Amino acid sequence: MKRKILAYNFEFSETLDRLRDRFDVEIFERINPKTDPAFLHALKTAEGIVGLALPVDKELLDMAPNLKIVSNNSTGFNNLSIDEMNKRGIMGTNTPGVLEDTTADAIFGILLAAARRIPELDQFVKTGKWKQHLTRKEYAIDVHHKTLGIIGMGKIGSLIAKRGHFGFDMDVLYYNRTRNLEAEEKYNAVYSSFDTLLMESDFVCLMTPLTPETENIMGEREFKMMKKSAIFVNGSRGKTVDEKALIEALRTNEIHGAALDVFQIEPVRADHPLLQFPNVVTTPHVGSSTHETELKMAKLAVENLEAGLTGKRPKNLVNPEVLD
């Protein structure tokens, strides 16, 4: 009898076929894991879960007595209640080292889009408003030779710095828990205090992981410290930003604009105030969403799952203490 695996929001047929050869796989997409009866029933016998953004908390774990591993198809794993999983001896894995360049492309892309007003001016053309030479009210702002401030100089932050430094001759400031000497050497990045970065940057790019320390790291005080000509870019997690404070900063012209790939609640509702500003570029958490990168992540998620279920140490174990 094959061991039961649940695939949650995991839509890659190439990797699912590989799993089906060895396991009994049940697929669940776009369901509420708190209430879906088929999912709740399947949890009772599941030994592994692979997928994206499933809230793995005490409530779910109490219903999954046979669970041995949860393989996240993402770099982040804040959806996993690690303490609860450790109590039960359940492994958790993620898929790092795959999406960094792709995400850096996307975040620098929305930075460019906000600065050059690309979505707004795209609609300007498509709705027939382009009838004469542009006037000052349609002008955008330059990116080259400006100052890029990066909060969180990890792998993705470093690659954003690379794009800014080599592609646009930007000066790079960064704030991080520890100094990134490699980024300083390669991209002339300058280690800065948090407040100095906010005050001196033309683009403030937030790339921190979500932790208790970084939740709402950008709030009313921080937006007021930014230049009125600056653009705020969030490629981290929605809860790193106080959205009410951001809305107020945009409403009162405390900052020039914003580019957001993440929101506190996703999918963002259609009537969300942030969607009403023409100077805010929004994308639906697309950082890693290319065919090539998502397939690489899916394959790695499956490899982690298979290792955990066959007595091997998964390559990307996020709670190694569970093996002690």
Side-chain angles (χ1 to χ4, degrees):
M1 188 174 185
K2 290 184 177 180
R3 305 164 84 174
K4 174 68 69 66
I5 301 298
L6 307 188
Y8 177 83
N9 291 344
F10 190 77
E11 53 186 348
F12 290 88
S13 59
E14 303 96 322
T15 48
L16 284 174
D17 289 343
R18 171 174 165 176
L19 281 177
R20 288 192 184 99
D21 288 340
R22 303 182 66 181
F23 305 105
D24 175 15
V25 181
E26 286 198 45
I27 300 171
F28 297 91
E29 294 183 10
R30 296 175 178 82
I31 56 107
N32 184 338
K34 300 286 187 183
T35 59
D36 186 83
F39 180 79
L40 296 176
H41 178 74
L43 276 177
K44 296 177 182 178
T45 54
E47 295 188 43
I49 298 175
V50 60
L52 178 65
L54 174 67
V56 179
D57 52 18
K58 182 179 184 300
E59 183 182 2
L60 181 143
L61 294 171
D62 284 343
M63 294 184 287
N66 298 300
L67 193 61
K68 294 177 176 60
I69 183 171
V70 179
S71 179
N72 259 13
N73 186 35
S74 67
T75 296
F77 53 91
N78 53 293
N79 60 305
L80 305 181
S81 298
I82 297 298
D83 288 343
E84 291 294 333
M85 292 172 65
N86 286 344
K87 291 176 185 178
R88 296 163 169 82
I90 299 170
M91 293 175 282
T93 64
N94 65 340
T95 57
V98 177
L99 53 71
E100 284 79 4
D101 269 306
T102 301
T103 302
D105 286 349
I107 301 308
F108 207 91
I110 61 173
L111 181 156
L112 282 170
R116 297 306 307 264
R117 299 172 63 181
I118 291 173
E120 187 182 356
L121 294 176
D122 171 72
Q123 289 303 305
F124 183 77
V125 175
K126 289 178 177 175
T127 56
K129 295 178 181 178
W130 186 26
K131 299 181 182 299
Q132 57 188 9
H133 292 298
L134 298 183
T135 64
R136 289 184 63 180
K137 67 180 182 179
E138 285 93 36
Y139 290 172
I141 62 174
D142 283 333
V143 175
H144 62 271
H145 299 119
K146 294 289 182 69
T147 298
L148 171 62
I150 300 174
I151 303 169
M153 189 66 96
K155 291 181 180 179
I156 300 173
S158 295
L159 289 169
I160 292 170
K162 177 182 179 181
R163 284 151 176 75
H165 173 68
F166 289 116
F168 294 85
D169 293 314
M170 301 180 84
D171 294 324
V172 178
L173 300 179
Y174 78 97
Y175 171 76
N176 207 45
R177 287 179 298 178
T178 57
R179 288 182 65 173
N180 188 326
L181 299 179
E182 184 179 6
E184 292 180 20
E185 181 180 352
K186 287 184 174 181
Y187 317 128
N188 291 340
V190 175
Y191 186 66
S192 166
S193 72
F194 184 57
D195 289 356
T196 298
L197 183 150
L198 293 174
M199 290 186 289
E200 296 186 1
S201 298
D202 299 298
F203 300 90
V204 173
C205 187
L206 183 59
M207 296 305 301
T208 62
L210 177 62
T211 67
E213 292 74 30
T214 62
E215 186 168 353
N216 287 332
I217 191 173
M218 291 296 298
E220 179 182 3
R221 169 188 172 275
E222 289 72 29
F223 288 119
K224 285 184 176 179
M225 294 185 72
M226 289 173 58
K227 296 179 180 180
K228 289 187 180 295
S229 59
I231 289 176
F232 172 68
V233 182
N234 191 8
S236 59
R237 290 291 185 268
K239 290 185 179 180
T240 56
V241 176
D242 180 341
E243 287 186 348
K244 290 182 180 178
L246 175 56
I247 291 165
E248 185 64 12
L250 291 162
R251 189 186 67 80
T252 58
N253 298 314
E254 286 287 345
I255 61 175
H256 182 76
L260 310 172
D261 188 43
V262 290
F263 299 85
Q264 286 195 356
I265 298 175
E266 298 178 356
V268 66
R269 68 180 194 273
D271 63 347
H272 195 294
L274 283 171
L275 307 189
Q276 313 310 313
F277 292 97
N279 56 332
V280 176
V281 172
T282 57
T283 48
H285 206 144
V286 299
S288 64
S289 298
T290 66
H291 291 289
E292 300 94 332
T293 294
E294 292 289 348
L295 182 56
K296 289 177 185 176
M297 290 170 62
K299 289 179 178 178
L300 182 54
V302 166
E303 290 172 8
N304 287 328
L305 182 76
E306 290 177 330
L309 290 175
T310 55
K312 301 174 184 176
R313 181 190 177 99
K315 180 180 178 181
N316 305 112
L317 187 63
V318 299
N319 57 338
E321 63 276 11
V322 77
L323 299 181
D324 297 335

